[in-house]
Amino acid sequence: MALIVQKYGGTSVGTPEKIEAVAEKITRMHGEGHQLVVVVSAMSGETNRLLELSAAVHEQPSAREMDVLLSTGEQVTIALLSMALQKRAVEARSYTGQQVHILTNNVHGKARIQKIEADRVQKDLAQGRVVVIAGFQGVDSEGNITTLGRGGSDTTAVAMAAALKADECQIYTDVDGVYTTDPRIVPEAHRLDRITVEEMLEMSSLGTKVLQIRSVEFAGKYKVPLRVLSAFEEGPGTLITYEEKEMEQAQISGIAFNRDEAKLTILGVPDQPGVAFNILGAIADAEVNVDMIVQNVGEDGTTNFTFTVHRSDFKQAQTILQKLARELKAREVSGDDKIVKISVVGVGMRSHAGVASTMFKALADEGINIQMISTSEIKVSVVVDEKYLELGVRALHAAFELDQAVEK
Ligand code: ASP
Ligand code: MG
């Protein structure tokens, strides 16, 4: 018998039939003697529908009222799922985030969980009830409803699991685990049995959107045993681990990519102290996140400075840079919003030399020009023209022998 926190995403509870199927599964597991806490998202499409409704009423609705609105999606699902469980003679109780007292800070729209009072849930569990909790929402210290950001139900589930010291947190979704890369691009991609939390963080932040990144950070902090698995098919899913596999660690666990990148270069800036600060300070003041940064070797007292931003911030960053270029007496500003980032990720990289050269050779063999490079302890990323995304990801997946990797 185990205490398990399960989370079902929007697609898993998207219709009454799917809610019934989820209820069947929960009934079965409850019958096996497990204690279950179930966190659910809004039915698929519902959060977007609510967003559209608000847009029709107000161009810039207040963040507080947005949270009141968006939190209703999950409230519908908890009630329906509890009814479906009760129909199966399972004693179930639904609670909103506010009711179970998921206390957050007051940053509406992306609130952070500060504390969970698990007593109420524990009492229900002790009486054999299944507890159904609305994901994505909480309450601030003044009683205002807050939400945790898109995909936030994952974080609710992980936080509940941490608070209850659950044996496992299971995230049920429409894929059966974490893959070596996107199977829509590489049909040979395969499900990983395990992935370390560090790799998972890289894979999520680089665009392999299986879990909300904050939930992975949370899991890492509290070492929550976390598993991603399919709501529709039986299978072991992917376990997120906190220890690196010791023996025969593959160099690379996966190939991640990010389509929505853009790069900007300011050419011929005076090569003097404070230049990087001047440029990036102005960009940061505009709340634009910068990812890769490259400064070239100075020549004739000037240098070129290149960085990447999210594609949606490209125009704004370009305008800022053009203004700066005049102030700094730089030669010119150039930009490209048709680039992508591809990364190879793996903790095994720490103990294997030559990952970067294997990567660069594979790209060269396909005639793909690398525009920028950055590395960390467990990843190597390159920026390439967006037309090479699919080709590049396939070439790297094959070069690191992920196509035929055998699970242990
Ligand atoms: N319903 C929210 C969303 O779409 C939260 C979630 O599904 O995790 O983002
Ligand atoms: Mg999700």
Side-chain angles (χ1 to χ4, degrees), residues 98-344:
Q98 185 171 14
Q99 286 176 309
V100 279
H101 218 74
I102 297 179
L103 184 73
T104 71
N105 65 13
N106 62 3
V107 185
H108 287 290
K110 46 175 183 236
R112 282 186 177 266
I113 297 177
Q114 292 174 327
K115 199 170 162 224
I116 294 180
E117 275 153 33
D119 304 7
R120 187 169 198 171
V121 175
Q122 253 141 4
K123 272 195 204 115
D124 282 325
L125 289 175
Q127 293 180 34
R129 293 186 181 124
V130 171
V131 180
V132 183
I133 297 174
F136 174 60
Q137 55 180 267
V139 64
D140 73 8
S141 59
E142 279 164 25
N144 300 298
I145 294 174
T146 55
T147 65
L148 310 179
R150 298 307 303 266
S153 299
D154 295 338
T155 302
T156 305
V158 172
M160 281 309 309
L164 293 164
K165 300 196 174 51
D167 295 299
E168 192 162 289
C169 180
Q170 304 176 336
I171 308 281
Y172 287 92
T173 178
D174 48 2
V175 291
D176 65 348
V178 179
Y179 274 64
T180 48
T181 195
D182 187 341
R184 283 169 299 190
I185 293 187
V186 186
E188 293 80 13
H190 66 277
R191 182 184 54 79
L192 293 160
D193 272 342
R194 316 166 137 251
I195 186 169
T196 70
V197 73
E198 282 176 284
E199 290 169 330
M200 191 60 205
L201 281 171
E202 293 292 356
M203 298 289 270
S204 346
S205 66
L206 294 168
T208 316
K209 296 180 191 72
V210 185
L211 291 174
Q212 194 198 32
I213 189 150
R214 201 177 274 177
S215 71
V216 184
E217 288 165 0
F218 209 107
K221 193 162 161 197
Y222 296 98
K223 300 234 176 347
V224 175
L226 183 60
R227 194 184 287 277
V228 175
L229 55 192
S230 164
F232 310 115
E233 295 160 31
E234 291 295 318
T238 300
L239 182 69
I240 284 107
T241 64
Y242 302 93
E243 276 158 44
E244 293 174 15
K245 286 176 269 177
E246 284 159 18
M247 306 280 287
E248 295 187 50
Q249 172 70 52
Q251 292 179 20
I252 297 303
S253 294
I255 314 293
F257 54 86
N258 213 337
R259 294 175 193 274
D260 305 314
E261 301 271 316
K263 73 169 182 179
L264 286 150
T265 303
I266 180 162
L267 295 116
V269 266
D271 192 7
Q272 356 170 300
V275 166
F277 168 68
N278 273 323
I279 298 169
L280 295 178
I283 299 291
D285 287 345
E287 304 276 338
V288 170
N289 282 330
V290 170
D291 181 19
M292 287 189 201
I293 304 169
V294 172
Q295 185 185 325
N296 294 66
V297 176
E299 212 181 311
D300 306 328
T302 69
T303 187
N304 302 335
F305 196 90
T306 306
F307 57 89
T308 62
V309 295
H310 194 270
R311 212 173 272 184
S312 60
D313 290 329
F314 177 67
K315 284 274 167 327
Q316 194 191 358
Q318 195 176 36
T319 310
I320 295 168
L321 220 54
Q322 276 156 351
K323 183 163 165 279
L324 265 176
R326 285 191 294 276
E327 287 167 20
L328 298 171
K329 302 208 178 356
R331 200 163 66 243
E332 63 171 298
V333 171
S334 71
D336 185 354
D337 64 352
K338 301 263 179 304
I339 56 156
V340 293
K341 180 167 76 174
I342 306 178
S343 308
V344 299

Side-chain angles (χ1 to χ4, degrees), residues 7-10 40-43 45-48 70 73-74 135-137 149-156 212:
K7 180 253 171 179
Y8 293 91
V40 285
S41 292
M43 295 167 80
E46 180 62 9
T47 307
N48 289 338
L70 293 185
E74 274 71 11
F136 174 60
Q137 55 180 267
R150 298 307 303 266
S153 299
D154 295 338
T155 302
T156 305
Q212 194 198 32

